[in-house]
Amino acid sequence: MQIKKDRSALHVFETLESEVRSYCRSFPAVFTKAKGHKLWDRDGREYIDFFSGAGALNYGHNEERMKKKLIDYLANDGITHSLDMATEAKEAFLKKFHDVILKPRTLNYKVMFPGPTGTNSVESALKLARKVTGRENVISFTNSFHGMTIGSLAVTGNTFKRRGAGVPLNYTVTMPYDNYFGADFDTIKYLKRFLEDNGSGLDLPAAIILETVQGEGGLNAARFEWLQKIEQICRKWNILLIVDDVQAGCGRTGTFFSFEQAGIKPDIVCLSKSIGGYGLPLALTLFKPELDVWAPGEHNGTFRGNNLAFIAATEALSFWETPAFEQKIKQKSERVNHFLQSIVSNHPGLQGEVRGRGLMQGIACAGDGLAERICREAFKRGLIMETSGPAGEVVKLFPPLTINDQGLDQGLSILEESIQAALDQ
Ligand code: PMP
């Protein structure tokens, strides 16, 4: 293979890496260093991070206390790889997760470690729901995203991603998410009718899987009331409720679990991304103890015992020991919301709509390719952010939850400049 002579900054990647690469196309720089809410590239350019590793860096880059714990652990030759053997690192994580997260929220869940990515957690949740109920069907929602392996793709809405499967995606039914047809259409009534009516063609499903705020699907935030009604439907028909909190969890929407504010208790919860704290791969599948019907090793994987991730994850849970962290997220979310509302009213050309919840908000823009252009302009100005939604129509703000006011203000003001620049084109 020939390396190109007229070298672009990304020539190694362009020549040697597969066409499947994506984020390096949106953010064309070679990154070398990162701290908190900032990144630097090889030329020393500084960037503000409003992307946070697509939700894997809620606590920012290279957080100091986690870094120290990791360095100490490595220096002492702590176990790194252990499949799912019992290690001290895992024991400490399980205890702290129970004490700091589950117990205060009166959530009685068993913890399963699937492979270390979000889609691994979703696959295990779907398998478990089918095993427990003996049913095959799973209901998912329009514009959902649950991962790229076949089972997760089957409950994902996006046509482009689904097509990549290359095989039929079976045993799933898509129903309209809250607000899919606009505020006047009752999607709960629609779903209920399908379940009640013997002529609907819908077989009773094993589970309903949903995101409380759709991260990839356009930052659609389901109303708490809608989530409560979905839970009631699940209870009435004996359907398991799976909340995929891979992106919306770990504080992104304001509370540790995104469903807390709705007061619901899912049967199964998928967690990944920021549960590893430091951007290290880790995933959990949580479920009510009575659902723990797995036989030993029935769902396994080589990288379930990511001990470095356990070390960082245990330290990351310290953020949740007092209510202060939640309060700060709330304040920042309100600031972001006010700012976005004012941008939408000050820039009528955007025909914008503010979407999302917590530090998972954005603006849906009417113009074709407009959100994409805004993110490109932002990158030129040193702000990293991505689009979301079926047509990439939403500008998505995803700063680390730990970002300080100055960083937040800087990022927001670059965003406003970028919107103006994109509208002027
Ligand atoms: N579920 C949700 C809600 C997600 O946002 C994602 C990733 N964007 C996944 C699952 C899949 O996670 P992973 O990419 O780690 O497999």
Side-chain angles (χ1 to χ4, degrees):
M1 197 173 293
Q2 283 251 297
I3 305 241
K4 278 190 215 152
K5 284 229 170 67
D6 53 339
R7 296 177 159 197
S8 83
L10 291 172
H11 72 276
V12 169
F13 308 90
E14 285 159 358
T15 314
L16 301 178
E17 193 180 346
S18 157
E19 291 305 314
V20 79
R21 66 194 190 282
S22 62
Y23 288 119
C24 60
R25 299 178 196 264
S26 316
F27 313 127
V30 180
F31 295 97
T32 51
K33 193 177 152 152
K35 189 74 185 167
H37 64 272
K38 289 182 184 169
L39 287 141
W40 289 268
D41 71 14
R42 186 151 66 185
D43 302 321
R45 255 196 103 203
E46 187 176 294
Y47 300 84
I48 292 178
D49 191 354
F50 268 22
F51 173 51
S52 300
L57 291 162
N58 281 2
Y59 309 101
H61 296 266
N62 297 319
E63 199 274 337
E64 213 45 42
R65 285 171 301 173
M66 291 185 227
K67 184 170 79 178
K68 185 163 184 331
K69 288 273 157 81
L70 287 169
I71 291 171
D72 290 349
Y73 190 75
L74 285 168
N76 287 313
D77 289 329
I79 296 277
T80 297
H81 182 266
S82 57
L83 291 134
D84 73 348
M85 288 188 269
T87 64
E88 259 186 9
K90 185 174 173 177
E91 181 179 52
F93 171 76
L94 280 168
K95 271 161 84 179
K96 195 154 171 185
F97 189 71
H98 176 261
D99 294 347
V100 176
I101 302 297
L102 297 180
K103 201 160 161 236
R105 292 165 179 77
T106 60
L107 291 168
N108 185 17
Y109 289 135
K110 291 293 278 295
V111 180
M112 168 182 183
F113 298 102
T117 66
T119 198
N120 285 126
S121 175
V122 171
E123 292 285 353
S124 65
L126 297 173
K127 262 180 159 176
L128 184 65
R130 288 176 170 131
K131 184 173 159 81
V132 167
T133 60
R135 300 177 209 141
E136 292 167 341
N137 243 357
V138 172
I139 289 182
S140 58
F141 291 97
T142 48
N143 287 313
S144 56
F145 183 88
H146 297 290
M148 298 299 285
T149 49
I150 301 295
S152 306
L153 271 178
V155 286
T156 289
N158 188 289
T159 308
F160 171 65
K161 301 280 198 281
R162 289 176 66 87
R163 239 183 243 144
V167 293
L169 296 170
N170 288 331
Y171 306 115
T172 56
V173 174
T174 310
M175 284 284 155
Y177 194 70
D178 192 18
N179 218 23
Y180 185 65
F181 293 108
D184 297 335
F185 189 97
D186 187 348
T187 56
I188 293 287
K189 197 169 158 196
Y190 184 91
L191 171 58
K192 270 190 185 161
R193 180 85 183 118
F194 270 84
L195 287 164
E196 277 163 5
D197 180 19
N198 279 335
S200 73
L202 177 73
D203 294 328
L204 187 67
I208 292 181
I209 184 167
L210 59 86
E211 301 153 87
T212 64
V213 182
Q214 296 183 318
E216 304 299 319
L219 297 180
N220 310 303
R223 286 166 297 168
F224 297 144
E225 190 198 353
W226 188 86
L227 294 168
Q228 287 154 6
K229 286 184 180 159
I230 293 285
E231 185 185 46
Q232 285 159 17
I233 287 175
C234 286
R235 300 296 161 246
K236 177 163 179 201
W237 273 277
N238 213 7
I239 300 166
L240 296 175
L241 176 59
I242 306 174
V243 170
D244 177 350
D245 239 1
V246 166
Q247 188 162 157
C250 298
R252 190 42 72 180
T253 66
T255 46
F256 184 84
F257 293 108
S258 71
F259 54 81
E260 285 174 47
Q261 292 138 292
I264 61 169
K265 288 198 171 162
D267 299 291
I268 306 179
V269 181
C270 302
L271 272 186
S272 184
K273 294 199 189 266
S274 276
I275 190 66
Y278 206 72
L280 293 169
L282 183 65
L284 315 182
T285 312
L286 311 173
F287 38 81
K288 294 183 173 166
E290 60 271 25
L291 304 181
D292 197 3
V293 297
W294 291 116
E298 192 176 1
H299 184 94
N300 65 14
T302 308
F303 290 107
R304 284 166 302 147
N306 186 354
N307 288 277
L308 285 179
F310 289 141
I311 294 291
T314 305
E315 184 54 39
L317 295 177
S318 303
F319 278 96
W320 298 95
E321 283 175 329
T322 69
F325 191 51
E326 273 188 17
Q327 283 158 9
K328 282 194 200 141
I329 301 172
K330 189 161 180 266
Q331 284 160 8
K332 288 175 212 177
S333 309
E334 280 164 10
R335 264 173 92 135
V336 168
N337 189 269
H338 289 151
F339 188 86
L340 294 182
Q341 298 289 359
S342 77
I343 283 195
V344 165
S345 47
N346 295 341
H347 299 272
L350 267 181
Q351 294 178 55
E353 181 201 344
V354 178
R355 299 243 187 107
R357 184 177 290 140
L359 281 177
M360 188 170 184
Q361 296 186 60
I363 304 177
C365 311
D368 203 18
L370 181 56
E372 198 77 48
R373 289 201 300 281
I374 293 170
C375 290
R376 227 177 295 134
E377 289 299 323
F379 183 74
K380 280 196 225 160
R381 290 166 173 76
L383 176 68
I384 295 180
M385 49 193 305
E386 69 165 341
T387 60
S388 159
E393 73 281 19
V394 182
V395 176
K396 181 178 178 190
L397 279 78
F398 239 65
L401 307 180
T402 51
I403 194 167
N404 58 26
D405 287 348
Q406 197 201 359
L408 194 57
D409 286 347
Q410 249 177 304
L412 293 175
S413 91
I414 297 177
L415 172 60
E416 184 154 28
E417 265 179 47
S418 310
I419 288 174
Q420 192 57 61
L423 285 172
D424 289 344
Q425 279 168 13

